[in-house]
Amino acid sequence: MSDHTIEKLVVDGPDVWALYTMEGTHRGALRGVEPTGRKVRYSIVAMYQVDGEQITEADFVSDDLRMMRQLGAIPS
């Protein structure tokens, strides 16, 4: 569905934060919404804990409200 673009990357020792822009076309069911064929663009912040060359923890926060509005699932 999407292309990922890293907009910003911050590294502080073992902590890494990344701001991604996601872009794509809604071609499959997603969070209960059947495919719409609509294009979407929204942000995700990823937080990683790194040990050596391994990611040991990861957490993500995405702008689901913006994505669902673009899909027409929530009124603007």
Side-chain angles (χ1 to χ4, degrees):
M1 170 186 149
S2 61
D3 291 320
H4 301 62
T5 302
I6 298 175
E7 305 292 343
K8 189 170 279 195
L9 190 65
V10 177
V11 179
D12 182 19
D15 300 314
V16 179
W17 296 271
L19 172 62
Y20 296 92
T21 296
M22 306 289 288
E23 292 183 83
T25 304
H26 183 217
R27 294 193 174 128
L30 178 66
R31 294 189 173 96
V33 178
E34 291 302 314
T36 62
R38 292 181 180 190
K39 297 214 180 276
V40 296
R41 180 184 168 104
Y42 62 99
S43 299
I44 292 180
V45 175
M47 297 150 283
Y48 303 104
Q49 187 82 189
V50 178
D51 184 8
E53 295 182 11
Q54 299 275 332
I55 295 173
T56 56
E57 292 182 44
D59 201 2
F60 305 89
V61 178
S62 65
D63 190 350
D64 288 357
L65 180 59
R66 176 178 285 179
M67 178 187 62
M68 297 302 272
R69 283 183 171 161
Q70 291 176 35
L71 296 177
I74 298 173
S76 296

